[in-house]
């Protein structure tokens, strides 16, 4: 809506233009009338529409034609004044003033005109019979008002209609010649209907109609009023009411009726509440609300946004198969002016066997859009009516701006849910396969992807400590000389090489030394196509020795050439590294590794008792003694607590890294509860088992089996140390 209205009064001399303005201001007819009134501004608080209004007079005696043309170009609405008792002034309306105004305005944005018949007090008859043919001839004429400056008849109404013609114009809504709404208005109201149809059944039931009424007019409709509205529709058109609800046809009919009866402000109120401007386009303020994003922060959808998107998915998933068919997806995006998702989206997120986007893939795509282009996400949410349905001020309420990454590094923890992994590698090293494997597609399914539908992103969920996190994989251009800051900005880096190509690893070594060796971004090296015969890499150092030298985790074997969906273990590890970037190197570089080595050595030296037995012995120290001896030992509780607290403080970093391993079994440990200790165990095992005459990588089955038993032994050892320390402390006091 406009912030102000500018009204220009034109007409033949002596028709009463100046008198109308002065009568409005002083509320009485002036004794003396000047040749021209000065520009008057009426404050917003005294106008019906609460908008400042500027009223401009024109005098042929005091102004030139050039000044008239300038005023015409600045006016929002023009009142052509004639005298009802002067036929010549009426004839001049069509012979002079309307052609003059049309010549000075753009054809596609004509200024609305108001015909004003002044001096109605001097005649007993009306001039409307003469004026009606003129109104039918010129569609830009909004209305005609007969008034009298002398007795103040219809003066306020005149300027109200002029203001209304600007704020609630008929032109964009209705075509008088065809006596129907214009296509752009029908399109806008159709979107409003679909957004308001919360269950997507094609009709607005009583609850939806009341929600619509409250949204637009801040007041619900009484039950009888709802029935009256539906009865009006039933009497005038068929198929306007169905199952006691209002159909789209009935909804459009009601607004046509409002416009025809001169109540187009009702339709404009609805349109503006749903974000439309005077040209029936969604405003920039509605689509792109202000959202401040500090540097080094990311954007994510919050819980309410996910609930809203879940509701949108559910109401369009007609067959309840947890996937959107092409027709269902098309129906979902009918409220958009264009199709926002192309065929590449199907290769960016998870789909079912038919290639339809699943519920998880649907949420992943929204999460990806929010992370990469939050302004586009705001736009999309605006089309869906997020702020209206959720009764929020704007779509910005759906976005969470995360904490600065530097603070996360300092605190060694993060509250983010979305992490970015940039994937680098030489040509044909397996990057695309690595991305598609994340979407649970093996090599057979990947070969069906068309080249023009290829995506350089892959988005899916992983689980760390039982928490669902999103991992975004981005395949970066292999040209190392043209990597931008965007290509390098990420939470974890994945360097991929082809084990069957002797020159493949050299790229990874160069990329690491050039961009990541001195950065704080954790890196993982992937030995792709591990199902093929491994050849010796023609690089300065073999991959495993390179990882040792730079304190990286050993190369992780990976293949997507399997009958089943590829394993997601490696993606869980990447997510874990992104969540805990402070631990980015190999176990030998960790500051507590030597202490843990001593601890393990001492533990192995003093005994082999199982953890459960030690626990029973400690318990026996208290429970198997008489009561008086238990009381005598009571002061030792403080000592025990001090020992326990001291040990827990010293061992806290180790326990945190081992905790996830102790809570899982062999089947789920590699999928849901992987932490940094996984890299410790794999490194210890792999480095101790390297034979210069054997291949550099283990099979996945061997790695999984060895990891489980090493994990179990390390966990038992830690608890044994804690139990033994408490046991020794109690015995010493006795």
């Amino acid at each position: 809506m406009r912030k102000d209205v500018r009204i220009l009064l034109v007409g033949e001399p002596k028709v009463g233009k100046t008198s109308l303005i002065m009568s409005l201001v002083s509320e009485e007819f002036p004794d003396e009338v000047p040749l021209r009134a000065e520009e008057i501004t009426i404050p917003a608080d005294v106008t019906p529409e609460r908008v400042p209004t500027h009223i401009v007079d024109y005098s042929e005696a005091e102004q030139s034609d050039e000044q008239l043309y300038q005023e015409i170009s600045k006016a929002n609405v023009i009142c052509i004044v004639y005298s009802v008792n002067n036929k010549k002034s009426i004839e001049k309306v069509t012979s002079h003033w309307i052609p003059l105004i049309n010549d000075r305005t753009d054809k596609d944005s004509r200024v609305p005109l108001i015909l004003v018949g002044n001096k109605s007090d001097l005649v007993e008859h009306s001039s409307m019979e003469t004026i009606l043919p003129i109104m039918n001839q010129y569609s830009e004429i909004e209305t005609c008002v007969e008034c009298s400056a002398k007795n103040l008849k219809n003066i306020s109404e005149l300027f109200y209609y002029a203001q209304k013609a600007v704020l609630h114009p008929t032109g964009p809504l209705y075509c008088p010649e065809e006596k129907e709404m214009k296509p752009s208005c029908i399109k806008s109201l159709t979107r409003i209907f679909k957004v308001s149809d919360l269950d997507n059944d094609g009709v607005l039931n009583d609850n939806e109609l009341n929600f619509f009424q409250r949204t637009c007019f801040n007041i619900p409709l009484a039950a009888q009023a709802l029935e009256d509205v539906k009865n009006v529709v039933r009497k005038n058109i068929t198929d306007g009411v169905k199952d006691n609800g209002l159909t789209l046809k009935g909804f459009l009919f009601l607004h046509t009726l409002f416009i025809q009866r001169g109540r187009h402000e009702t339709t404009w109120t609805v349109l503006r509440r749903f974000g439309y401007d005077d040209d029936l386009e969604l405003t920039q303020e509605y689509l792109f609300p202000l959202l401040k994003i500090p540097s080094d922060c990311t954007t994510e959808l919050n819980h309410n946004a996910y609930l809203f998107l879940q509701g949108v998915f559910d109401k369009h998933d007609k067959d309840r198969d947890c996937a959107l068919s092409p027709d269902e997806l098309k129906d979902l995006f009918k409220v958009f002016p264009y199709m926002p998702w192309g065929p590449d989206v199907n290769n960016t997120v998870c789909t079912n066997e038919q290639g339809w986007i699943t519920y998880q893939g649907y949420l992943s795509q929204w999460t990806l859009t929010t992370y990469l282009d939050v302004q586009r996400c705001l736009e999309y949410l605006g089309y869906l009516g997020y702020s209206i349905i959720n009764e929020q001020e704007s779509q910005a309420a759906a976005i969470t701006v995360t904490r600065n990454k530097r603070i996360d590094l300092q605190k060694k923890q993060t509250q983010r849910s979305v992490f970015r992994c940039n994937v680098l590698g030489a040509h044909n090293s397996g990057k695309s396969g690595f991305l598609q494997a994340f979407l649970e597609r093996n090599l057979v399914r990947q070969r069906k992807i068309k080249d023009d539908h290829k995506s350089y992103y892959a988005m899916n969920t992983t689980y760390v400590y039982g928490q669902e996190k999103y991992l975004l994989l981005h395949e970066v251009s292999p040209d190392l000389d043209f990597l931008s800051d965007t290509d390098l900005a990420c939470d974890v880096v994945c360097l991929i090489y082809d084990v069957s190509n002797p020159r493949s690893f050299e790229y990874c070594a160069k990329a690491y030394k050039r961009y990541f060796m001195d950065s704080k971004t954790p890196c993982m090296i992937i030995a792709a196509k591990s199902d093929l015969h491994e050849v010796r890499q023609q690089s300065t150092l073999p991959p495993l020795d390179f990882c040792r030298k730079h304190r990286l985790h050993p190369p992780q074997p990976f293949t997507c050439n399997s009958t089943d969906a590829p394993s997601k273990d490696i993606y869980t590890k990447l997510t874990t590294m992104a969540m805990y970037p402070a631990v980015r190197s190999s176990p030998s570089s960790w500051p507590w590794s030597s202490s843990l080595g001593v601890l393990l050595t001492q533990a192995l030296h003093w005994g082999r008792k199982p953890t459960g037995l030690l626990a029973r012995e400690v318990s026996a120290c208290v429970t198997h003694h008489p009561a008086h001896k238990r009381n005598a030992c009571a002061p030792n509780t403080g000592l025990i607590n001090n020992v326990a607290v001291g040990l827990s403080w010293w061992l806290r970093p180790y326990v945190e890294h081992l905790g996830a391993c102790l809570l899982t079994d062999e089947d789920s440990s590699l999928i849901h509860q992987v932490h940094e200790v996984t890299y410790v165990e794999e490194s210890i095992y792999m480095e101790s088992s390297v034979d210069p005459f054997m291949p550099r990588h283990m099979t996945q089955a061997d790695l999984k089996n060895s990891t489980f038993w090493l994990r179990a032994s390390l966990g038992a050892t830690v608890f044994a140390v804690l139990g033994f320390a408490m046991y020794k402390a109690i015995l010493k006091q006795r």
Side-chain angles (χ1 to χ4, degrees), residues 674-693:
V674 180
H675 203 284
E676 288 87 347
V677 72
T678 306
Y679 312 133
V680 180
E681 299 154 3
E682 292 177 359
S683 300
I684 293 173
Y685 185 89
M686 294 180 72
E687 291 182 16
S688 63
S689 62
V690 169
D691 187 311
F693 301 101

Side-chain angles (χ1 to χ4, degrees), residues 112-127:
L113 304 178
I114 306 289
L115 299 186
V116 181
N118 193 20
K119 303 183 181 182
S120 62
D121 59 294
L122 299 179
V123 295
E124 295 182 358
H125 62 275
S126 172
S127 63

Side-chain angles (χ1 to χ4, degrees), residues 4 215 257 281 311 314 320 348 394 406 489 539 555 565 653:
D4 61 359
T215 298
L257 194 62
E281 298 288 343
D314 289 341
R320 295 291 182 264
T348 304
S394 71
R406 285 176 291 183
S539 55

